[in-house]
Amino acid sequence: MKTDFQTVVRSVRDLPPMPAVANKVLELLGNPDVNYSKLGEAISSDPAVSARLMKVANSAFYSMKRQIKTLDHAIAIVGEKTLRSLVLAASLEGVSKSYGLLEKLLWEDAMGCAIGSRIIARKFSTADPEEAFLAGLFRHLGKIVMNYSEPDTYRKLIEAAYVEGTATADIEGRFFPYGHEVVGAAVLDKWNFSRALVVTALHHKDLAISADEEDAAQLLRLAATVNLAGFICMKLGIGRRQPLDELNVADCAGATALGLSDEQVTGVLEEIDEVFNENREFFIG
């Protein structure tokens, strides 16, 4: 990756900090002798994160056979990879100075793509499901950061895209020095997230992953998974004011890179639609 992420981060006027709870949980999970009592203490220090973790742990999305009533039980039963995903998802919702319609749509977009990426990864064995969940969750982190750092400018961008009938990504250069892909990747790099998540954030749209990259084929499949999930979200109207009914998802770069047929894409689109709507209250409510 040739992009100078330090320069990008310096260009962001007001960079959101890594959520404190998420930072502590990642630190604890990085210890091979992880202390579950300390994990519980860290998560319970943020009531919003605790509540979100409990809701999602009890959702059909995670297929728990019995109701989870305590935070300790949730930590014990969901597993470390899933716990990491859920805490980061719950923490990301708080990376916002306000919470109006725009923030709600950005959050819905993040969760929709995370859910979709996890389903695609499991259904077609394209990537580790929890890594795919996080890659989908952070695919548009750059948009969240832009809105956080310069909310007035970001709203002007949204309004201009609406008036002109174009995608926000196509006109970001008129309002910001860097596109959301670069900003998101730079922030993930700053927060010391894995290279796979950084690369996916940077290339989720163009899939232009160099063959010289270590594990290039694996990275491409992860990015393609997220790309497909993103197009499915657009088609279904997840994180948008209206669905893009005319969008042919089977033609997107992700579906092509994964070698999926029209029937396979239609099947996973219907599954994502069903799962997202069934679990909406757990993730978005």
Side-chain angles (χ1 to χ4, degrees), residues 73-140:
H73 188 197
I75 292 171
I77 205 168
V78 301
E80 291 182 17
K81 278 190 173 182
T82 298
L83 178 65
R84 180 170 175 259
S85 297
L86 298 185
V87 169
L88 286 170
S91 299
L92 183 64
E93 187 180 15
V95 181
S96 173
K97 293 178 180 176
S98 62
Y99 199 78
L101 176 60
L102 175 55
E103 289 74 24
K104 180 179 182 297
L105 290 175
L106 286 171
W107 169 240
E108 183 176 295
D109 173 68
M111 284 307 308
C113 192
I115 291 169
S117 296
R118 186 176 187 268
I119 290 172
I120 293 166
R122 289 188 68 182
K123 190 175 185 71
F124 302 116
S125 301
T126 59
D128 176 88
E130 295 308 326
E131 184 172 47
F133 181 95
L134 290 179
L137 182 75
F138 290 128
R139 124 183 168 283
H140 283 165

Side-chain angles (χ1 to χ4, degrees), residues 10 12 35 41 45 66 72-73 83 113 152 179 201 249 271:
R10 284 195 295 269
V12 179
N35 185 312
E41 290 176 10
S45 69
R66 51 185 172 167
D72 287 345
H73 188 197
L83 178 65
C113 192
D152 292 339
V249 178
E271 183 175 345

